[in-house]
Amino acid sequence: MKQLSKVLVVDYGSQYTQLIARRVRENGVYSEILPWTASASEFETSAPSAIILSGGPNDAGEKGAPTLNNALLRLNVPILGICYGMQLLALHFGGTLVNGKNREYGQTKLKVSDGCLLWKSVPPNTTVWMSHGNHVKTLPNGFVSVAQTAAVGIAAMANEDYKIYALQFHPEVSHTSHGMQILRNFLFEIAKLERNWNMGSFIDDTVAKCRERVKDSNVLLALSGGVDSTVVAALLHRAIGEQLHCIFVDHGLMRHGEAEEIVSMLYQCMPKLKLQLVKAQDLFLQRLVGVEDPEAKRKIIGKTFIDVFEKQALKIPNAKFLAQGTLYPDVIESSSVNGVVIKSHHNVGGLPKDMKFELIEPLRELFKDEVRAMGSEIGLPEDVIWRQPFPGPGLAVRILGEVTAHRLSILRRADNIVQQELKKSGWHRNIWQGFAVLLPLCTVGVMGDARTYDNMIALRVVDSVDAMTADWTRLPHDIIASISSRIVSEVNGVNRVVYDVSSKPPSTIEWE
Ligand code: XMP
């Protein structure tokens, strides 16, 4: 097989590290991230065709600040240092830094020098995004300054013989007007990489690797109908066909008609998929009787899920592997240099400790939008690919207070109206999530001439890019109005609807 061009992004703690890796992939070149603390042998094993050193929050040269591992230089491939990465390169090769009196934050004008390959097709005066305190004061031996700003004499430097380049600004962010062009110049003009990363070849490669690893064993997969597990199912189905055994635990906490829709969609896409649907609503509801505390609910649901899954899994012979839809951001977060707290949302509440499976994680190199692209390439329908995120514990965390069959049915009907109206107006494609929440209190109303004392529904609609932060959607008033009037007139037991106008933080998207 042809050698895949690969860019190694070394993470020094910048908030933009993942963005750098994505930008490289958007250009058809595979990229991976390693923390600066990785060992020499990890860097060697990565065997990149070029290296990008990320920015970072520290001051280079300060005691305890992240350093440049010599192993990276020994790889003898083109290097691009960004911001903190530039400072590390400057110090390493004998330059000096100055703690900027004229700190530059935000957009700034950059003047570039003629003749440097980094600036091919970049105008002589351009706008870039700066975010730094320190900058390079004196150039290291063998380097020349190739760009200036009003405040910084050496805003970019280059050693063309060693193919080492460095930028004080961030080319990866969209505020740098020719940032993508600058990255492309590094990838294709300087490092001479090939555009040989695309979804089709990645799928073929992953399918081949899975076949080789699984041989004649069986693989288990807990399917939830969400985009990640469905794409894993489709990919593994292509790779190993009937050796893949999917288990879909219907905990009875799905939205209106959802479990049936998911199963029929799966069979439509993959008629030969081995899929067991386990209907377990009674068991889940039984264990939730009298439980009001949100964390207690989550734990009970997680544990019950495992009990049901495990019982089913043990019936499948020769099951050596368990497949999971782990994505690249989860992988990176767990090895992050900043130790940022990882979101602890689990669909299945963790694996049973005594189940001895090897893990198969075919999406662990992909970002969410790449998973969607993969789903599309494999031929999954749009509805699956663009399905809203749905919490593992389902509607249980949208029913505040006790979960009962009656309250589930009220919420389901109200939520169904929300989904229908969002779809009808086309807003379902603009938002991150939109759903109904059943509150644990009744309020007074009047219907006809009679007093009512009934339940209240909160409507939660948010915009977000990654669910880490979110803002409430400015949904047009007429859509809110039709949702509200339909819920109150069509769902027995509800006499009031309110709209949630809180962002995350300080609120969260889900109410529990
Ligand atoms: P929060 O409420 O923390 O939610 O702002 C962020 C995103 O995560 C989803 N969510 C979950 N997803 N298992 C999941 O797979 C869970 O337990 C869970 N809880 C919340 C939520 O819908 C939102 O998209």
Side-chain angles (χ1 to χ4, degrees):
M1 211 170 68
K2 204 162 175 208
Q3 186 65 30
L4 197 63
S5 288
K6 186 204 278 184
V7 172
L8 169 63
V9 180
V10 183
D11 185 11
Y12 288 96
S14 165
Q15 56 179 321
Y16 301 129
T17 303
Q18 288 196 30
L19 192 57
I20 301 173
R22 300 196 36 151
R23 294 277 182 258
V24 173
R25 290 189 191 186
E26 280 166 26
N27 278 297
V29 177
Y30 181 64
S31 66
E32 71 180 20
I33 300 173
L34 283 177
W36 68 275
T37 45
S39 66
S41 77
E42 282 174 293
F43 288 133
E44 280 153 20
T45 310
S46 162
S49 343
I51 295 169
I52 298 181
L53 309 177
S54 85
N58 299 79
D59 282 340
E62 263 192 354
K63 209 164 170 257
T67 50
L68 181 64
N69 191 325
N70 267 322
L72 290 167
L73 298 167
R74 282 198 302 270
L75 290 171
N76 213 4
V77 295
I79 297 180
L80 176 68
I82 295 175
C83 200
Y84 187 80
M86 170 168 183
Q87 294 161 23
L88 282 178
L89 289 168
L91 286 182
H92 181 88
F93 288 101
T96 58
L97 303 181
V98 62
N99 202 322
K101 285 192 200 72
N102 304 330
R103 283 169 179 244
E104 279 183 312
Y105 287 100
Q107 281 189 321
T108 218
K109 291 277 171 223
L110 182 85
K111 190 172 176 327
V112 307
S113 312
D114 275 350
C116 175
L117 279 176
L118 270 183
W119 314 133
K120 193 176 165 192
S121 306
V122 175
N125 290 293
T126 179
T127 305
V128 297
W129 182 259
M130 287 281 193
S131 164
H132 69 95
N134 285 357
H135 62 257
V136 176
K137 183 177 167 197
T138 49
L139 284 167
N141 279 341
F143 282 77
V144 290
S145 168
V146 291
Q148 299 81 39
T149 66
V152 177
I154 308 169
M157 62 180 196
N159 180 324
E160 304 210 321
D161 294 337
Y162 288 173
K163 293 201 174 184
I164 297 180
Y165 294 76
L167 308 170
Q168 184 60 64
F169 59 89
H170 291 271
E172 68 276 21
V173 302
S174 55
H175 313 288
T176 294
S177 47
H178 291 80
M180 202 58 156
Q181 182 61 43
I182 296 169
L183 275 180
R184 269 189 219 123
N185 289 340
F186 174 69
L187 299 175
F188 306 116
E189 300 295 326
I190 293 164
K192 309 264 184 237
L193 304 183
E194 275 191 58
R195 290 175 191 266
N196 50 13
W197 155 263
N198 66 51
M199 202 36 84
S201 61
F202 181 74
I203 291 173
D204 293 345
D205 192 43
T206 311
V207 162
K209 279 188 190 144
C210 287
R211 276 189 195 137
E212 197 178 312
R213 191 161 162 224
V214 169
K215 300 205 170 66
D216 55 3
S217 305
N218 284 328
V219 178
L220 293 175
L221 171 67
L223 251 178
S224 68
V227 56
D228 303 340
S229 67
T230 309
V231 171
V232 172
L235 189 77
L236 289 178
H237 184 58
R238 181 176 285 193
I240 55 169
E242 296 187 18
Q243 285 163 256
L244 173 69
H245 295 258
C246 300
I247 300 173
F248 180 15
V249 176
D250 178 3
H251 50 22
L253 305 166
M254 307 290 272
R255 285 172 291 197
H256 176 80
E258 202 172 22
E260 296 75 16
E261 269 170 34
I262 290 170
V263 171
S264 88
M265 172 278 294
L266 288 167
Y267 279 131
Q268 231 168 358
C269 305
M270 298 169 270
K272 290 194 173 154
L273 187 72
K274 278 210 172 146
L275 171 64
Q276 295 180 32
L277 171 65
V278 191
K279 287 200 167 284
Q281 169 162 8
D282 292 347
L283 179 63
F284 278 85
L285 280 183
Q286 209 178 309
R287 291 194 183 175
L288 285 168
V289 170
V291 183
E292 294 187 359
D293 177 68
E295 278 309 297
K297 276 187 206 169
R298 281 179 178 270
K299 286 199 181 109
I300 290 170
I301 293 167
K303 162 89 175 61
T304 310
F305 184 97
I306 288 168
D307 291 347
V308 176
F309 181 81
E310 187 173 27
K311 200 167 152 201
Q312 205 63 29
L314 291 173
K315 294 183 191 158
I316 294 163
N318 194 22
K320 194 171 158 200
F321 298 93
L322 184 75
Q324 285 195 331
T326 316
L327 304 191
Y328 201 41
D330 311 330
V331 176
I332 302 164
E333 274 174 9
S334 56
S335 66
S336 159
V337 296
N338 283 342
V340 182
V341 180
I342 306 161
K343 267 177 85 68
S344 51
H345 290 141
H346 297 293
N347 269 329
V348 297
L351 297 177
K353 300 225 166 7
D354 51 352
M355 288 179 93
K356 302 261 180 296
F357 291 117
E358 285 181 39
L359 281 186
I360 292 202
E361 300 173 311
L363 310 183
R364 62 179 281 127
E365 281 149 13
L366 301 183
F367 293 103
K368 188 85 180 181
D369 57 336
E370 292 173 329
V371 172
R372 294 205 163 106
M374 179 184 262
S376 202
E377 180 90 20
I378 295 184
L380 290 175
E382 288 276 291
D383 276 1
V384 179
I385 291 164
W386 291 103
R387 200 163 162 249
Q388 281 183 21
F390 188 64
L395 297 182
V397 292
R398 295 178 182 170
I399 293 177
L400 277 52
E402 190 184 3
V403 181
T404 61
H406 177 61
R407 301 191 76 211
L408 255 174
S409 133
I410 292 180
L411 180 61
R412 240 187 224 125
R413 280 182 290 148
D415 187 71
N416 193 35
I417 292 171
V418 176
Q419 304 314 325
Q420 285 173 352
E421 293 297 316
L422 288 174
K423 208 162 187 178
K424 195 168 101 193
S425 63
W427 271 78
H428 69 301
R429 287 298 285 265
N430 305 340
I431 59 168
W432 174 263
Q433 265 172 307
F435 53 86
V437 181
L438 178 61
L439 306 189
L441 75 168
C442 291
T443 68
V444 174
V446 53
M447 270 191 199
D449 289 329
R451 176 187 190 270
T452 57
Y453 186 58
D454 270 338
N455 290 290
M456 181 161 145
I457 288 284
L459 176 59
R460 180 72 164 144
V461 188
V462 295
D463 301 329
S464 176
V465 281
D466 53 9
M468 304 295 274
T469 60
D471 197 7
W472 60 278
T473 303
R474 273 52 169 181
L475 208 58
H477 289 180
D478 54 345
I479 302 175
I480 300 181
S482 27
I483 292 175
S484 165
S485 67
R486 276 196 63 194
I487 290 178
V488 174
S489 59
E490 293 174 35
V491 183
N492 270 344
V494 177
N495 66 358
R496 190 179 297 273
V497 175
V498 293
Y499 193 57
D500 182 349
V501 290
S502 341
S503 52
K504 171 183 180 177
S507 303
T508 53
I509 296 177
E510 303 289 346
W511 279 42
E512 284 194 339

